[in-house]
Amino acid sequence: MRVEELLKRPEGKSLEFKQDISAPKNILKSVIAFANTAGGTVVIGRADDGTIVGVDDVLDAEERLANLIADSIAPGMMPEIEAVTVADKALLLIRVAHWPGPFYLKAKGPEDGVFVRLGSTNRQADAATLEALRRLHHTRTFDQLPCAGTDESDLDQAALQRWFAHQKRPLNVSALESLGMLTHQGGRRVASNAGVILFGTTEARQRCFPDARISCARFLGRDKSEFLDRQDMNGLLEALVDVPKFIARNTRLASRINGMQREDVSEYSAVALREVLVNAVAHADYALSGMRFFVSIFSDRLEIQSPGMFPFGMTLENFKAGVSRIRNRAICRVLREMGLMEEWGSGYQRITSSCRQGGYPELEWLELGSCVRVVFPSRLELSTDEPVRAATANDPVSEPVNDPVNELVNERQKWFLDQLKQGVPVKAEGIVQHWGVSPATAKRDIAALRQRKIIEFSGAPKTGVYRLKTKKESAP
């Protein structure tokens, strides 16, 4: 990425700006955090307000930084330090690759001196994170490790019989070891963490992973002030079947006319829901204490939250680009053999394709400290006082918004289209003022209409206007 483009980006998981090197310890923490987490770049010479202030005596500053990194960080690392010129100002770029560490600040020691990157901040690694970083040196992931205090009897034989019968494979000790459900510790055979998480008896799961369950809730409105329905699901494999059923009974079908036929339209893409659920179970951080999955349904959105940030060495940009990094090898293998996971790294593409083809709003992916949340904006945006039920033959059919368009839209989008039909040059600010929603929601409404080729923008960015597209223009 060109330096000019880098300077326009906000600080985040892989980017930090510093005005100068007057606080070297903070720079060192960022270098350590980038190396431990997913790599990144520290840009020196840019102020907090975005002003390019430059670095005085850049060669001397470069040498000081190189010496500081060599003397202050262990194990030894050699990040790339580069001097560049932008707007006649000299900047220093410290490009840090992700490497198995953990790297730490020598002055604080290998226990207290380890930092990781969470969002745009550096955080001291807690005990669980430190252990996860140390596991990167070994070939086995957390789910492949022995589950302390267990033996073969802690696996549910009935559940295993069902799974192996479905896969048309013989169930025996060798097969369980090959699958990673059994392993060895101290000369005896024990259940692995994956074995207990996926196939453990109820008692074993409660003892070893009491929070490895999915909590589902349907709320009345847009916040969590009042429940309409709730259910806890303790078996994760069973939950992959039961969660979609919970969602189906707590969301609604709408109808639209497609030619001469009436077509039912789900509030959320079934393909996207399945992919996000499977991805959550496959890549969750089961080493976190108190971890749990949440499926929260509101009147205007659905959220799926899983424990753990993205795996070390992985960023949201990597994920969207199709890069795959496996956190739980044994769990992923089971899901793949069940046909729930396909090619590594292809899930995001299937999600975006299903939403685009079905006319659903784009999903929002958020890394919030020690969890990842995926937000599904509602295609229908039910009001808070509407009953939640499945569509029936007596449900009203959605009427066309205007002559050239026969698409399902929410109330804000319908208002926006009506304004355009009347010749009013309305933009996102109009939706914000009229409906009292956030600018992000208004822009998302308009983006969905543009994506479905109902409207287009014409003219310069500041002075241009939106207009309705005709049926002929909207046709593929």
Side-chain angles (χ1 to χ4, degrees), residues 214-233:
I214 300 181
S215 296
C216 300
R218 168 62 166 105
F219 299 97
L220 177 61
R222 299 183 180 184
D223 57 35
K224 297 181 179 181
S225 59
E226 187 173 349
F227 286 95
L228 289 178
D229 192 8
R230 62 193 303 178
Q231 182 178 353
D232 267 10
M233 303 179 188

Side-chain angles (χ1 to χ4, degrees), residues 11 18 108 155 190 210 212 216 257 259 334 336 342 368 398 476:
E11 287 187 328
K18 296 293 184 185
K108 296 179 72 68
L155 298 184
V190 300
C216 300
I257 298 300
V334 169
R336 190 175 187 183
E342 298 179 19
L368 306 172
S398 296

Side-chain angles (χ1 to χ4, degrees), residues 356-473:
R356 188 183 307 113
Q357 293 169 8
Y360 291 92
E362 184 179 348
L363 308 190
E364 184 178 8
W365 299 76
L366 304 169
E367 189 175 28
L368 306 172
S370 58
C371 71
V372 172
R373 181 183 300 163
V374 184
V375 181
F376 295 67
S378 171
R379 181 170 181 171
L380 308 182
E381 185 118 13
L382 304 177
S383 65
T384 56
D385 57 353
E386 270 191 281
V388 180
R389 55 181 175 80
T392 70
N394 296 321
D395 281 340
V397 177
S398 296
E399 296 295 332
V401 175
N402 50 45
D403 291 337
V405 179
N406 184 17
E407 294 280 349
L408 186 67
V409 294
N410 63 38
E411 290 299 315
R412 295 188 305 272
Q413 291 169 322
K414 182 177 180 180
W415 175 86
F416 184 84
L417 293 172
D418 286 340
Q419 298 301 303
L420 296 184
K421 189 175 182 180
Q422 296 169 30
V424 179
V426 66
K427 293 186 178 181
E429 293 83 355
I431 297 179
V432 173
Q433 295 172 5
H434 186 82
W435 293 93
V437 296
S438 69
T441 296
K443 291 177 181 178
R444 190 165 57 216
D445 284 339
I446 294 175
L449 293 174
R450 294 184 69 179
Q451 186 178 47
R452 288 153 60 189
K453 299 182 179 179
I454 299 174
I455 63 172
E456 70 174 8
F457 187 83
S458 178
K462 291 185 177 181
T463 59
V465 295
Y466 290 100
R467 73 175 188 88
L468 292 171
K469 299 186 74 173
T470 66
K471 186 179 295 186
K472 183 177 181 179
E473 289 174 325

Side-chain angles (χ1 to χ4, degrees), residues 284-392:
D285 188 349
Y286 294 96
L288 292 177
S289 60
M291 56 76 63
R292 199 192 308 180
F293 301 85
F294 293 95
V295 175
S296 305
I297 305 173
F298 302 89
S299 63
D300 64 337
R301 69 194 186 281
L302 182 151
E303 298 177 354
I304 296 178
Q305 180 173 304
S306 57
M309 59 184 185
F310 281 103
F312 293 118
M314 189 79 168
T315 64
L316 180 57
E317 290 75 17
N318 297 149
F319 171 65
K320 290 182 176 181
V323 176
S324 177
R325 189 175 292 271
I326 304 301
R327 173 178 268 142
N328 303 299
R329 290 195 183 97
I331 290 175
C332 284
R333 180 178 175 183
V334 169
L335 295 175
R336 190 175 187 183
E337 293 197 15
M338 291 175 70
L340 295 174
M341 291 185 71
E342 298 179 19
E343 297 178 9
W344 305 127
S346 61
Y348 181 76
Q349 183 59 46
R350 283 194 295 277
I351 291 167
T352 54
S353 294
S354 70
C355 291
R356 188 183 307 113
Q357 293 169 8
Y360 291 92
E362 184 179 348
L363 308 190
E364 184 178 8
W365 299 76
L366 304 169
E367 189 175 28
L368 306 172
S370 58
C371 71
V372 172
R373 181 183 300 163
V374 184
V375 181
F376 295 67
S378 171
R379 181 170 181 171
L380 308 182
E381 185 118 13
L382 304 177
S383 65
T384 56
D385 57 353
E386 270 191 281
V388 180
R389 55 181 175 80
T392 70

Side-chain angles (χ1 to χ4, degrees), residues 13-14 30-42 75-80 94-103 114-117 129-130 132-138 309-315 318 323-327 329:
K13 188 172 183 176
S14 59
S30 295
V31 170
I32 290 170
F34 286 147
N36 283 332
T37 308
T41 303
V42 181
M77 68 161 71
M78 296 182 64
E80 178 185 348
I94 308 175
R95 300 186 189 272
V96 185
H98 167 68
W99 290 98
F103 294 91
V114 178
F115 296 88
V116 294
R117 191 76 172 176
T129 302
L130 190 55
L133 286 167
R134 288 169 176 162
R135 279 198 302 272
L136 292 179
H137 278 299
H138 306 286
M309 59 184 185
F310 281 103
F312 293 118
M314 189 79 168
T315 64
N318 297 149
V323 176
S324 177
R325 189 175 292 271
I326 304 301
R327 173 178 268 142
R329 290 195 183 97

Side-chain angles (χ1 to χ4, degrees), residues 140 142-148 150 183-185 190-193:
R140 291 199 294 179
F142 173 79
D143 66 327
Q144 295 175 309
L145 298 177
C147 187
T150 65
T183 187
H184 291 266
Q185 183 180 45
V190 300
S192 68
N193 288 327

Side-chain angles (χ1 to χ4, degrees), residues 20 102 144 169 173 212 245 277 281 290 298 311 325 400 414 446:
D20 50 43
Q144 295 175 309
R169 295 170 53 180
V173 170
K245 294 178 181 178
L277 280 170
V281 171
F298 302 89
R325 189 175 292 271
K414 182 177 180 180
I446 294 175

Side-chain angles (χ1 to χ4, degrees), residues 22-135:
S22 60
K25 184 177 290 187
N26 291 333
I27 296 174
L28 293 172
K29 287 180 180 179
S30 295
V31 170
I32 290 170
F34 286 147
N36 283 332
T37 308
T41 303
V42 181
V43 179
I44 301 173
R46 178 187 181 274
D48 291 341
D49 62 2
T51 304
I52 307 301
V53 297
V55 177
D56 295 332
D57 198 346
V58 67
L59 295 179
D60 178 68
E62 181 180 0
E63 184 177 357
R64 287 177 58 195
L65 282 173
N67 290 334
L68 274 170
I69 291 170
D71 295 340
S72 306
I73 298 176
M77 68 161 71
M78 296 182 64
E80 178 185 348
I81 305 177
E82 178 185 4
V84 299
T85 301
V86 175
D88 296 326
K89 300 285 187 179
L91 302 177
L92 278 178
L93 273 61
I94 308 175
R95 300 186 189 272
V96 185
H98 167 68
W99 290 98
F103 294 91
Y104 61 91
L105 199 60
K106 288 181 181 179
K108 296 179 72 68
E111 297 294 327
D112 299 329
V114 178
F115 296 88
V116 294
R117 191 76 172 176
L118 293 179
S120 59
T121 62
N122 304 317
R123 303 282 183 87
Q124 184 176 348
D126 58 19
T129 302
L130 190 55
E131 183 60 31
L133 286 167
R134 288 169 176 162
R135 279 198 302 272

